[in-house]
Amino acid sequence: MNLKSLIALILFISLISCHSNKNNWTHFRGSNMDGHAAVEKAPLHWSASENIVWKVPVKGQGWSSPVVYDGRVWVTSAEKNGHEFYLFCFDLETGNLIDEKTLFTAEDPQRIHGTNSYATPTPCVEEGRVYVHYGSFGTACVDTKSFEVIWKRDDMPCDHMQGPASSPIIYKDKLIVHLEGTEDPYVIALDKKTGETIWKSVRPKEIYDPLEPVYRKSYQTPIVITVGDRDLLISNSAFMCFAHDVATGKVVWSFKYGYDSTVSQPLYYNGLVFVNSGWIFLDGKPNFTRQFAIDPTGEGDVTETHQVWMYEDEVPQIPTPLIVDGKMYMVHDRGMVTCLDAMTGKVIWKEKLRGNFNSSPIYADGNIYFINVKGFCTIIKPGDTFEKVAENDISETVKAVPVFVGDKMLLRTQNHLFSIN
């Protein structure tokens, strides 16, 4: 093996080790953004007072999920009326507050939907830096050791209409954020070291300008996949999904599904991309959502050529599905869980859970965790039939994704952050 190959192998192993570290949780839905926790043990039984390691209040309101790196837990929040935007750092073992910052302020903030918050985007973290994003209200990078602000941006406009929700992601030297509102929606890649713009891709005006403004908005969080020798940013925006060359921002392919308010994150499994349409409005039918499986190897408009399957019966609009061992598990906002064959879209089983859901399911220690808006959690065993393992109730509002590190689960509720074992 030559020196160049050896260095590449070492870097690859280091990257895998970082992403699979059971003590870190770096992005929305985990370090690999696939809803899989790299832990060997996860809690099965708890309540508001049972098996609680610590419980701490979190000032303000936010539906963002925590992220964890090197023993520190990072949480964003905002004043309920949107005038101040916060970042908190807690000690993972004790729950003690290590640092608190007000990063941005707004004199006259945009209105948000009643079910949203001003701090819904989940931050992302890596060695030495945590990145926070509050939509058009501001994006910042903070040093995780000194707690000093490294850079800030508050010059990226977006009329969110219903408030920010898209989470930022780290990719190599870039921080990628989506600002897709009612006017000129766009995705932008920033230099993660300086905050300067590397590229910006505005959705095609010839397609989006004829749409009513309400149908241009999107709240999804993208993923990056490798297809052949190219890395693609998969971005399921309002009306259509785009695959960008992540190095340049150039659109490689697009897929049209129509309408708006995409929230659910894309998935990638066994050579297929899975994207959610957001709300579909058809005469005589209640609002509904479609899940698509797409072959990502095409170029140009692949709507008619690269769809593998489509499913539209009780597909969630907000929670992101989860794929485990070739099966897709998705919980509808109103509680119906559907298990599909990920490669064919065929139904394996369906089961109704209690309550309504915003939080996405997470796979940890051989089980899948579904937590409803009222904090009631149903844990199941993945498989060909519905098999319930446990039920637990934290008795507080939950919209964030549960985080699994070590042998503990971190759960952000409306008013608190819990460590559970």
Side-chain angles (χ1 to χ4, degrees):
M1 181 181 292
N2 60 35
L3 181 60
K4 184 176 180 180
S5 298
L6 180 61
I7 292 172
L9 178 61
I10 292 171
L11 289 174
F12 176 76
I13 292 172
S14 299
L15 178 64
I16 295 299
S17 175
C18 175
H19 279 303
S20 63
N21 189 332
K22 66 180 181 180
N23 296 312
N24 294 334
W25 187 279
T26 63
H27 284 78
F28 174 64
R29 298 182 60 248
S31 295
N32 293 319
M33 290 183 284
D34 59 1
H36 286 238
V39 297
E40 298 169 357
K41 184 180 179 182
L44 289 177
H45 304 286
W46 67 84
S47 69
S49 59
E50 178 187 15
N51 292 329
I52 304 300
V53 180
W54 48 257
K55 170 186 174 182
V56 295
V58 180
K59 184 175 74 172
Q61 181 170 295
W63 302 130
S64 59
S65 304
V67 291
V68 182
Y69 201 93
D70 198 19
R72 291 180 172 179
V73 184
W74 301 89
V75 179
T76 57
S77 188
E79 195 177 34
K80 191 172 183 179
N81 61 16
H83 289 290
E84 295 183 336
F85 299 82
Y86 312 124
L87 173 64
F88 303 102
C89 179
F90 298 94
D91 183 90
L92 176 62
E93 292 302 315
T94 65
N96 291 338
L97 180 64
I98 299 173
D99 191 69
E100 171 186 342
K101 287 192 180 302
T102 300
L103 290 173
F104 298 97
T105 60
E107 292 185 6
D108 185 24
Q110 299 176 25
R111 291 185 178 183
I112 63 174
H113 194 281
T115 61
N116 200 8
S117 76
Y118 282 98
T120 295
T122 294
C124 50
V125 63
E126 62 180 354
E127 177 67 32
R129 296 177 179 226
V130 61
Y131 305 89
V132 298
H133 178 62
Y134 306 92
S136 64
F137 302 103
T139 305
C141 172
V142 175
D143 188 296
T144 58
K145 295 180 174 62
S146 69
F147 307 108
E148 296 298 319
V149 175
I150 297 173
W151 57 259
K152 295 170 70 172
R153 291 283 300 265
D154 59 3
D155 60 344
M156 297 184 290
C158 177
D159 179 5
H160 296 285
M161 189 175 188
Q162 296 177 337
S166 299
S167 299
I169 69 168
I170 302 166
Y171 173 76
K172 294 185 178 179
D173 62 335
K174 300 175 181 66
L175 181 75
I176 299 171
V177 298
H178 282 65
L179 291 144
E180 298 186 287
T182 61
E183 194 70 32
D184 294 329
Y186 61 97
V187 54
I188 188 167
L190 309 178
D191 184 316
K192 70 180 185 181
K193 293 182 179 179
T194 65
E196 295 176 353
T197 299
I198 296 175
W199 57 256
K200 177 180 178 181
S201 179
V202 181
R203 301 310 182 198
K205 295 181 73 65
E206 67 273 14
I207 295 175
Y208 280 74
D209 281 0
L211 301 177
E212 293 182 41
V214 68
Y215 294 144
R216 301 171 190 159
K217 65 188 190 305
S218 171
Y219 306 98
Q220 54 83 32
T221 299
I223 59 172
V224 176
I225 68 171
T226 300
V227 178
D229 60 354
R230 183 158 51 187
D231 289 347
L232 299 180
L233 179 78
I234 305 299
S235 174
N236 58 317
S237 301
F239 197 75
M240 58 199 299
C241 177
F242 296 91
H244 298 264
D245 183 323
V246 72
T248 64
K250 178 184 176 183
V251 174
V252 176
W253 57 257
S254 61
F255 182 94
K256 295 179 183 177
Y257 39 64
Y259 302 100
D260 76 305
S261 290
T262 46
V263 178
S264 179
Q265 189 177 32
L267 304 173
Y268 182 62
Y269 176 80
N270 201 21
L272 294 182
V273 166
F274 304 88
V275 298
N276 184 286
S277 68
W279 286 126
I280 300 288
F281 308 101
L282 295 178
D283 291 341
K285 294 187 68 172
N287 300 351
F288 68 100
T289 306
R290 288 173 174 152
Q291 190 77 29
F292 293 90
I294 303 169
D295 172 0
T297 61
E299 294 193 11
D301 184 348
V302 301
T303 310
E304 301 297 329
T305 58
H306 284 65
Q307 176 180 313
V308 177
W309 57 257
M310 182 272 288
Y311 185 79
E312 63 179 27
D313 183 23
E314 294 180 294
V315 173
Q317 192 247 345
I318 294 177
T320 300
L322 173 72
I323 297 177
V324 179
D325 296 331
K327 297 179 178 65
M328 176 182 288
Y329 301 85
M330 54 187 183
V331 60
H332 189 272
D333 308 55
R334 293 190 295 273
M336 179 63 75
V337 175
T338 303
C339 175
L340 301 176
D341 183 305
M343 302 309 292
T344 66
K346 292 182 178 179
V347 176
I348 298 172
W349 55 259
K350 297 173 77 78
E351 186 76 23
K352 181 71 167 66
L353 301 184
R354 58 187 278 189
N356 298 322
F357 289 77
N358 280 179
S359 179
S360 302
I362 296 294
Y363 177 68
D365 187 24
N367 296 310
I368 301 176
Y369 291 67
F370 297 91
I371 304 182
N372 74 17
V373 171
K374 292 188 176 181
F376 186 88
C377 178
T378 302
I379 304 173
I380 73 165
K381 184 71 65 178
D384 291 333
T385 59
F386 177 80
E387 181 184 346
K388 189 184 298 181
V389 174
E391 293 179 330
N392 304 283
D393 193 356
I394 204 73
S395 301
E396 292 194 24
T397 300
V398 175
K399 298 188 179 184
V401 170
V403 168
F404 295 85
V405 286
D407 60 354
K408 298 178 177 62
M409 180 178 77
L410 300 178
L411 187 61
R412 199 257 180 91
T413 68
Q414 183 170 4
N415 299 311
H416 297 95
L417 179 65
F418 289 83
S419 174
I420 300 168
N421 70 0

